[in-house]
């Protein structure tokens, strides 16, 4: 063991002084610069490893980092060796010289891999903590050991006649310098894991770390050279200083190594620029995709998905002394604005509502747009022993919001005022899912809209029961329409001034096998809301044609049957074709079928309505304007549309004796219709007084409970002779 030590360390076994040597200071400076450039390049390359999620790619970039750093250590060492001049011939073993690069590469690889592993773990845990002190010490020690091993292997590659021994003190100092500065370098670099993404700060850390690593390499090298003692032997030929020559291949190898570092640095820079460009493009794309996925494109507000995520999160964060409240609000008649003034003004209105909601002076936590003309507002109210107080507070907030939002809007040159319907739910349990909360608010909003415009409704459990019943009723109605089971037309007679039956209005009735007779007020609105009104309308049209054909067979050729047509049904592209097909199938003569249209049909697309009415009149169909007087534009419709009959709305007839003004309105309607060449039907005639007054005004036809309620077709024929 002692022999081994004496063969490596200078323990005083030589009496003579070691050979003197001196340095080329320019090459010393160059050696440090090469170490610094290689270290800085390696750190820039290592940044790529951090930005990849694939473990294989991370390992690849870490290996490239280690190779560049290892080449830098190797180049620095042999430039330093060339800078050191001894008065003897010096050469190097090719194999050992090239092999000495391996420990430098391995040391750098494992040092950087430790950093990467801990940084990856921090990202997995979603923390921004720095790399631990333990990792810094371990990685710095590995880095220093790799540098030291590379140096001493390179020294062993020297071929010269003097005996090479090392001072134990300077040997230990060289290793200590490499390890301590290695730990210092890794500790400095560990800060980058906490600020990654801040480009300027990251470059500063990389620059300082490269300076320290270069100092570790150079410090270790020149401390180790101080440890080196070259003792001449009997065969040593002393030469004048500066006359010795290095092998040309070593100089070439160093040039190639430095060139390789420069080349890798340039390639890495190009890759970095491209990566940064692609990274920014991907980030922008990701940001845009995320915005589209979680935000509404028009208003920028969170969409339904974001709202559900937020509600779920808020249930966990809402304090125990507070209730979470969701307001779901709807712009009443928004579709009318879009259809009449165009979608541009509709979009402006949505954006204006958004601005008001964002500036509202309430404790609002979130505003969202879950669907086209619906907005959601999330807030909190204080809990109390009495749940009614929290509900009252929520309703008070809803009224404040409603007042703010119902103030007039300036949409370009148009001043628009609209009403807002509100559904409100106070979350009283954190066990509810965000979907359930949104459904509750939607149920409350639906209830508000069913009760009219500008209404506010608070959710209560009975609403869920009602919707369950509604869904069941919808399914049963759908089946009834498909099977034609239980749906039957009832007829309410229409009489002339002599009380002679001139026809009837057909009204659909539903005989349910379990529910009995279902009120039209219950299933007609349901059909309109669900789109079943189209199938129901087709059924009504067919049954009406069947009744007229039956009348023909019975000789009742003068009776006219009126049927109501809904707006969705009339708007169908094939409405005229389908009705024409029925007329031919049941051989309906001209003049015996009358279609009653309400103003809601006419408001959609007036030109299309006029075109369809003219087509249908050519088929022998009559037209009546139903519920006249209840809309805003009836007079303009009368001027443009070729109606045959005008029907006075039941509300005018029933209440016409309550004031002189209402009597005058009825009188004006009758006179107006006659001046336009139209017949007049008065609905809701319930008393003889009604009949006598309307007769005195010259009303043409009468319909109401004074004569008959709606009855089945056989009863209509049976009792027609008793209507006088």
């Amino acid at each position: 063991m002692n022999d081994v030590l004496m063969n490596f360390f200078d323990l005083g076994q030589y009496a003579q002084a070691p050979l003197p040597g001196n340095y080329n200071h320019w090459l010393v400076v160059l050696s440090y610069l090469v170490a610094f450039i290689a270290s800085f390049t390696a750190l820039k390359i290592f940044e790529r490893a951090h930005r990849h999620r694939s473990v294989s790619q991370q390992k690849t970039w870490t290996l490239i980092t280690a190779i560049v750093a290892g080449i830098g250590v190797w180049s620095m060492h042999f430039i330093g060796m060339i800078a050191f001049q001894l008065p003897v011939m010096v050469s190097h073993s090719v194999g050992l010289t090239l092999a000495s690069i391996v420990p430098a590469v391995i040391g750098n690889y494992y040092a950087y891999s430790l950093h990467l592993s801990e940084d990856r773990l921090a990202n997995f845990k979603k923390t921004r903590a720095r790399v631990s002190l333990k990792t810094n010490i371990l990685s710095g020690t590995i880095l220093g050991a790799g540098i030291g091993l590379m140096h001493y292997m390179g020294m062993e590659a020297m071929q010269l006649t003097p005996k090479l021994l090392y001072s134990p003190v300077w040997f230990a100092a060289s290793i200590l310098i490499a390890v301590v500065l290695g730990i210092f370098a890794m500790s400095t670099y560990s800060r980058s894991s906490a600020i990654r993404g801040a480009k300027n700060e990251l470059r500063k850390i990389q620059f300082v770390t490269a300076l320290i690593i270069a100092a570790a390499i150079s410090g270790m090298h020149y401390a180790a050279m101080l440890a080196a003692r070259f003792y001449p032997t009997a065969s040593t030929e002393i030469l004048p200083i500066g006359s010795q020559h290095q092998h040309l291949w070593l100089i070439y190898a160093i040039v190639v190594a430095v060139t390789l570092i420069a080349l890798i640095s340039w390639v890495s820079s190009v890759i970095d620029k491209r990566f940064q460009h692609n990274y920014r493009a991907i980030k922008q794309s990701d940001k845009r995709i995320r915005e589209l996925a979680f935000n509404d494109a028009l208003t920028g507000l969170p969409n339904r998905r974001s709202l559900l995520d937020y509600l779920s999160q808020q249930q966990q964060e809402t304090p125990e002394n507070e209730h979470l409240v969701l307001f779901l609000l709807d712009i009443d008649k928004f579709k009318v604005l879009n259809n009449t003034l165009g979608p541009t003004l509709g979009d402006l209105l949505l954006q204006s509502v958004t601005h008001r909601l964002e500036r509202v002076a309430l404790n609002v936590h979130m505003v969202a747009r879950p669907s086209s003309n619906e907005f959601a507002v999330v807030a909190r109210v204080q809990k109390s022993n009495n749940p009614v107080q929290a509900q009252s507070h929520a309703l008070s907030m809803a009224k404040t919001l409603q007042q703010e939002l119902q103030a007039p809007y300036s949409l370009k040159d148009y001043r628009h005022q609209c009403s807002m319907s509100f559904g409100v739910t106070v979350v009283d349990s954190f066990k509810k899912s965000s979907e359930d909360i949104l459904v509750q608010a939607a149920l409350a909003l639906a209830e508000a809209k069913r009760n009219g415009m500008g209404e506010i409704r608070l959710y209560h459990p009975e609403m869920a029961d009602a919707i369950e019943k509604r869904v069941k009723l919808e399914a049963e109605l759908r089946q009834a329409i498909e099977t034609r089971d239980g749906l039957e037309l009832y007829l309410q007679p229409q009489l002339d001034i002599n009380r002679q039956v001139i026809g009837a209005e057909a009204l659909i009735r539903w005989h349910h096998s379990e529910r009995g007779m279902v009120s039209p007020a219950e299933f007609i609105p349901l059909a309109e809301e669900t789109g079943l009104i189209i199938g129901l309308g087709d059924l009504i049209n067919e049954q009406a044609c069947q009744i007229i054909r039956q009348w023909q067979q019975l000789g009742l050729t003068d009776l006219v049957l009126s049927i109501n047509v809904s707006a969705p049904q009339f708007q169908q592209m094939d409405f005229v074709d389908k009705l024409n097909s029925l007329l031919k199938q049941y051989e309906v003569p001209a003049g015996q079928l009358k279609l009653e249209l309400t103003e809601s049909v006419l408001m959609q697309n007036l030109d299309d309505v006029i075109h369809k009415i003219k087509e249908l009149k050519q088929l022998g169909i009559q037209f009546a304007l139903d519920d006249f007087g209840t809309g805003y534009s009836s007079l303009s419709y009368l001027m443009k549309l070729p109606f045959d009959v005008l029907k006075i709305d039941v509300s005018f007839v029933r209440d016409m004796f309550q004031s002189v003004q209402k009597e005058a309105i009825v009188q004006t309607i009758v006179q107006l219709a006659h001046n336009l060449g139209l017949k007049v039907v008065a609905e809701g005639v319930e008393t003889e007084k009604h009949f006598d007054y309307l007769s005195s005004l010259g009303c043409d036809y009468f319909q109401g409970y004074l004569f008959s309620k709606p009855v089945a077709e056989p009863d209509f024929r049976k009792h027609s002779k008793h209507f006088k």
Side-chain angles (χ1 to χ4, degrees):
M1 181 65 180
N2 191 47
D3 292 340
V4 174
L5 292 175
M6 291 187 68
N7 198 40
F8 188 79
F9 290 115
D10 184 2
L11 301 176
Q13 58 267 47
Y14 285 90
Q16 72 270 38
L19 292 173
N22 59 3
Y23 282 98
N24 181 324
H25 297 293
W26 290 109
L27 288 177
V28 170
V29 173
L30 177 63
S31 69
Y32 179 82
L33 288 176
V34 168
F36 168 74
I37 292 170
S39 299
F40 188 71
T41 301
L43 290 170
K44 286 187 68 178
I45 293 171
F46 189 53
E47 192 179 335
R48 303 277 72 73
H50 280 286
R51 292 186 176 178
H52 281 284
R53 293 185 178 181
S54 167
V55 175
S56 62
Q57 289 180 326
Q58 287 178 342
K59 288 182 177 179
T60 300
W61 282 107
T62 304
L63 179 60
I64 296 173
T65 300
I67 291 172
V68 171
I71 291 174
V73 174
W74 186 90
S75 300
M76 182 274 146
H77 170 79
F78 284 101
I79 292 173
M81 290 305 299
I82 294 174
F84 183 69
Q85 297 177 346
L86 285 170
V88 295
M89 288 297 296
V90 178
S91 61
H92 291 79
S93 165
V94 177
L96 195 55
T97 298
L98 297 178
S100 64
I101 197 173
V102 174
V105 172
I106 293 174
N108 276 277
Y109 179 80
Y110 282 103
Y112 285 114
S113 292
L114 280 172
H115 263 259
L116 186 62
S117 296
E118 187 146 337
D119 189 52
R120 189 164 58 229
L121 182 62
N123 288 332
F124 176 74
K125 293 180 178 178
K126 297 183 179 179
T127 64
R128 303 304 298 167
R130 294 181 186 174
V131 177
S132 67
L133 177 61
K134 180 179 178 182
T135 299
N136 288 330
I137 293 173
L138 183 58
S139 61
T141 302
I142 293 173
L143 179 63
I147 293 170
L149 185 57
M150 181 272 137
H151 174 85
Y152 286 105
M153 280 185 68
M155 294 293 286
E156 286 299 312
M158 294 176 65
Q159 295 177 335
L160 70 173
T161 54
K163 180 65 176 177
L164 173 59
L165 296 174
Y166 296 99
S167 164
V169 174
W170 280 107
F171 174 83
S174 69
I175 299 299
L176 186 62
I177 288 171
V179 170
V180 170
L181 289 179
I183 293 171
F184 186 33
M186 291 296 100
S187 298
T188 302
Y189 185 69
S190 68
R191 293 181 56 202
S192 65
S193 63
I195 55 91
R196 196 167 307 283
K199 190 174 181 180
N200 292 334
E201 288 296 320
L202 184 60
R203 290 289 175 266
K204 289 179 183 177
I205 291 175
Q206 290 173 340
F207 185 83
V208 173
T209 303
L211 287 174
I212 298 171
I213 293 175
I217 298 168
S218 301
M220 188 275 155
H221 175 86
Y222 291 110
M225 292 306 294
L226 286 174
R229 304 283 191 269
F230 299 93
Y231 289 100
T233 62
S235 59
T236 299
E237 181 183 355
I238 304 301
L239 300 174
I241 293 296
S243 63
Q244 75 277 20
H245 298 282
Q246 296 285 349
H247 285 176
L248 287 177
W249 72 266
L250 180 57
I251 296 173
Y252 292 150
I254 293 171
V255 171
V256 169
V258 173
T259 303
L260 187 59
I261 292 174
L263 180 61
I264 294 175
S265 177
W266 176 77
V267 171
S268 175
S269 177
V270 172
I271 292 174
D272 182 68
K273 287 181 180 178
R274 288 190 178 182
F275 181 87
Q276 290 294 338
H277 175 75
N278 293 338
Y279 180 75
R280 283 192 293 268
I282 291 170
K283 287 285 286 184
Q284 290 174 355
S285 298
D286 286 347
K287 182 180 178 182
R288 181 58 180 161
I289 290 169
R290 184 172 179 82
E291 286 177 351
L292 292 173
F294 293 94
N295 293 85
D296 169 52
L298 176 64
T299 63
L301 291 176
N303 59 16
R304 188 178 189 274
R305 180 177 178 181
S306 295
L307 174 63
L308 291 173
D309 290 345
Y310 185 79
L311 288 172
S312 180
Q313 174 190 346
Q314 283 297 297
Q315 286 202 85
Q316 308 300 323
E317 298 178 0
T318 301
E320 292 184 0
N321 64 335
E322 291 182 338
H323 282 297
L324 194 66
V325 182
L326 176 61
F327 304 90
L328 197 61
L329 54 114
D330 179 271
I331 304 174
D332 295 324
K333 290 194 173 181
F334 178 76
K335 187 176 180 181
V336 174
L337 172 68
N338 254 6
N339 291 341
T340 54
L341 299 179
T344 301
L345 288 186
D347 290 347
L348 281 176
L349 176 59
L350 293 172
Q351 292 169 337
S352 300
V353 171
T354 300
H355 294 154
R356 289 193 188 180
L357 285 172
E358 290 177 333
R359 298 195 307 267
V360 70
L362 290 173
N363 187 23
V364 170
H365 290 256
M366 184 195 197
V367 177
R369 185 188 175 204
S371 62
S372 59
N373 58 306
E374 284 186 2
F375 292 85
V377 176
V378 182
R380 294 177 185 171
V381 296
Q382 290 293 320
K383 279 186 180 179
S384 65
N385 294 329
N386 185 359
V388 176
Q389 289 186 1
Q391 295 175 354
S392 177
H393 189 188
L395 287 173
S396 177
M397 291 179 68
K399 289 176 182 176
T400 302
L401 280 170
Q402 189 182 55
Q403 290 173 0
E404 178 74 19
L405 297 175
Q406 289 186 163
Y409 293 87
S410 295
L411 309 177
K412 291 187 176 180
D413 298 329
Y414 177 68
R415 184 177 173 84
H416 181 72
Q417 188 161 9
C418 57
S419 61
M420 299 277 181
S421 297
F422 274 70
V424 185
T425 182
V426 178
V427 182
D428 54 4
S429 171
F430 293 146
K431 295 180 181 179
K432 287 187 175 69
S433 70
S434 52
E435 284 279 3
D436 289 340
I437 296 171
L438 189 56
V439 167
Q440 288 180 359
L443 290 173
L445 177 61
E447 180 72 17
K449 293 188 75 67
R450 276 195 292 270
N451 283 272
M453 296 184 295
E455 294 290 323
I456 299 175
R457 287 294 181 273
L458 184 70
Y459 170 79
H460 52 81
E462 289 77 8
M463 289 181 179
D465 296 336
I467 201 68
E468 184 178 349
K469 293 178 181 176
R470 185 176 179 275
V471 169
K472 185 177 180 181
L473 186 65
E474 178 188 342
E476 292 171 348
L477 178 59
R478 188 183 304 275
Q479 184 178 9
I481 293 172
E482 290 175 355
T483 61
R484 300 292 201 265
D485 183 27
L487 292 167
E488 180 184 1
L489 284 183
Y490 272 39
L491 308 183
Q492 185 170 34
Q494 293 177 341
L495 295 82
D496 61 15
I497 197 168
N498 298 316
R499 301 201 182 205
Q500 294 289 329
V501 176
I502 53 90
E505 179 182 0
L507 302 166
I508 193 68
R509 294 294 182 263
W510 184 12
H511 299 274
H512 194 281
S513 58
E514 297 177 1
R515 301 173 185 264
M517 186 70 78
V518 181
S519 170
E522 186 176 358
F523 73 85
I524 294 294
L526 177 64
E528 291 175 343
E529 293 174 18
T530 58
L532 293 175
I533 193 67
I534 294 174
L536 185 62
D538 291 342
L539 182 148
I540 290 171
N541 292 349
E542 185 170 4
Q543 287 195 10
C545 290
Q546 290 173 348
I547 290 172
I548 293 174
R549 183 175 182 179
Q550 187 176 0
W551 285 352
Q552 288 290 312
Q553 294 171 347
L554 296 173
L556 303 175
T557 56
D558 296 330
L559 296 180
V560 177
L561 185 61
S562 300
I563 55 175
N564 295 283
V565 178
S566 67
Q569 184 184 7
F570 195 80
Q571 290 164 14
Q572 284 186 291
M573 297 293 293
D574 59 348
F575 177 76
V576 175
D577 293 335
K578 287 197 296 185
L579 193 55
N580 186 30
S581 178
L582 287 174
L583 296 177
K584 292 179 178 178
Q585 179 181 349
Y586 293 101
E587 299 177 349
V588 175
Q592 272 203 277
L593 181 64
K594 184 190 299 178
L595 301 186
E596 295 189 3
L597 305 181
T598 62
E599 190 172 327
S600 62
V601 176
L602 313 179
M603 288 179 66
Q604 304 302 320
N605 186 334
L606 190 58
D607 291 337
D608 182 59
V609 171
I610 293 172
H611 179 70
K612 283 184 178 178
I613 288 178
K614 287 181 178 179
E615 279 190 296
L616 291 168
K617 285 185 75 70
Q618 290 177 357
L619 300 178
I621 295 177
Q622 299 183 54
F623 281 88
L625 178 58
D626 197 10
D627 301 335
F628 182 78
T630 58
Y632 297 102
S633 307
S634 297
L635 291 177
S636 64
Y637 294 147
L638 287 177
M639 299 293 293
K640 297 178 181 178
L641 295 165
F643 287 108
D644 302 289
V645 176
L646 185 150
K647 296 189 74 173
I648 306 175
D649 186 66
V650 63
S651 61
F652 288 101
V653 175
R654 184 182 294 121
D655 302 331
M656 64 183 178
F657 296 129
Q658 292 183 1
S659 67
V660 176
Q661 289 84 357
K662 291 183 179 180
E663 286 188 37
I665 289 173
V666 173
Q667 181 178 357
T668 301
I669 292 173
V670 174
Q671 290 176 351
L672 174 66
H674 287 161
N675 289 338
L676 293 173
L678 304 178
K679 298 292 185 179
V680 181
V681 177
E683 289 186 282
V685 180
E686 299 179 352
T687 66
E688 291 291 344
K689 186 177 181 181
H690 286 154
F691 178 75
D692 292 340
Y693 180 71
L694 291 166
S695 299
S696 68
L697 295 178
C699 187
D700 299 285
Y701 307 123
F702 308 87
Q703 176 182 340
Y705 276 29
L706 174 62
F707 312 107
S708 173
K709 63 180 182 179
V711 294
E713 194 278 332
D715 293 330
F716 167 79
R717 285 188 282 108
K718 180 178 179 182
H719 299 291
S720 291
K721 60 183 179 180
H722 301 301
F723 291 156
K724 293 183 180 181

